[in-house]
């Protein structure tokens, strides 16, 4: 006698290439952030041409990373937030380039505003991707970015503002990307 048990319902389809692409992207972002921070510390707080280029490079890299992320996330649908991140980071490239000709305080003001807005976007993307797993570090990083941005705005008002805080910001952000890459290597826990 043939069984008439209903066929099992397939689990919702997850975007097939997204976690491996994100893992690689997150590792690359970690390496970039740490290398960038080291170069910034070596460059010092003087706004030489090399430091100015380095300052504009960070948000430019963020634009490129968001493009890669958006291409891999078509099925995951945090695209609006990723597109917003691209626009905000592209504006930051222009803003940082302009501010770096005026002085460290102006750089910190632009960087602070960018850190706040991009941190909010990162927080939203991380929340949207929670079912994928490995996103708690991105959520935490987004929140810390907002706080760091406010700190940069306060630092711009100091008598002798310095760029060294930006190196710490980049390094911490890179560490969060690495943690997320490791967490994405593990299977997501099933919700009860």
């Amino acid at each position: 006698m043939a069984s008439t048990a209903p066929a099992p319902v397939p689990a919702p389809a997850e975007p097939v290439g997204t976690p491996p692409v994100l893992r690689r992207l997150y590792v690359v972002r970690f390496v970039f952030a740490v290398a960038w921070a080291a170069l910034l510390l070596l460059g010092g707080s003087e706004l030489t041409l090399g430091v100015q280029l380095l300052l504009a490079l960070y948000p430019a890299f963020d634009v490129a990373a968001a493009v890669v992320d958006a291409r891999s996330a078509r099925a995951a649908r945090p695209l609006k937030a990723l597109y917003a991140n691209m626009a905000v980071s592209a504006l930051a490239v222009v803003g940082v380039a302009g501010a770096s000709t005026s002085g460290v305080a102006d750089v910190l003001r632009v960087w602070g505003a960018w850190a706040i807005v991009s941190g909010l976007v990162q927080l939203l993307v991380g929340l949207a991707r929670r079912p994928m797993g490995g996103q708690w570090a991105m959520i935490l990083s987004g929140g810390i970015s907002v706080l760091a941005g406010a700190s940069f705005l306060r630092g711009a008002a100091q008598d002798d503002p310095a760029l060294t805080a930006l190196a710490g910001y980049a390094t911490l952000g890179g560490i969060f990307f690495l943690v997320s890459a490791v967490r994405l290597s593990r299977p997501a826990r099933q919700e009860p």
Side-chain angles (χ1 to χ4, degrees):
M1 214 161 152
S3 172
T4 59
V9 177
E14 294 211 12
V16 172
T18 302
V21 170
L22 282 181
R23 260 194 312 276
R24 285 189 300 272
L25 178 62
Y26 288 175
V27 169
V28 168
R29 291 193 75 162
F30 163 73
V31 171
F32 174 81
V34 171
W36 183 89
L39 289 172
L40 183 65
L41 289 174
L42 289 173
S45 280
E46 295 297 316
L47 287 172
T48 63
L49 180 58
V51 170
Q52 290 175 354
L53 291 172
L54 193 61
L55 290 169
L57 178 63
Y58 197 91
F61 184 82
D62 196 57
V63 172
V67 168
V68 170
D69 194 344
R71 285 184 180 165
S72 74
R74 294 243 180 254
R77 293 286 174 217
L79 289 176
K80 288 181 184 177
L82 290 171
Y83 291 145
N85 187 52
M86 288 178 219
V88 168
S89 293
L91 288 172
V93 171
V94 174
V96 167
S100 67
T101 63
S102 300
V104 172
D106 286 340
V107 169
L108 290 175
R109 285 184 194 97
V110 171
W111 201 285
W114 174 55
I116 290 169
V117 175
S118 65
L120 288 171
V121 170
Q122 184 178 18
L123 180 68
L124 292 174
V125 170
L127 287 170
R129 288 181 170 164
R130 276 186 59 216
M132 181 187 303
Q135 294 302 303
W136 69 266
M138 292 295 92
I139 294 166
L140 186 58
S141 177
I144 290 172
S145 184
V146 171
L147 297 175
S151 172
F152 298 147
L153 293 175
R154 275 193 314 276
Q158 304 275 329
D159 290 335
D160 191 22
L163 297 173
T164 54
L166 301 181
Y169 170 77
T171 302
L172 185 59
I175 290 169
F176 279 117
F177 277 112
L178 182 62
V179 168
S180 280
V182 170
R183 297 284 299 167
L184 279 172
S185 298
R186 299 178 185 163
R189 291 183 184 157
Q190 295 296 325
E191 298 290 325

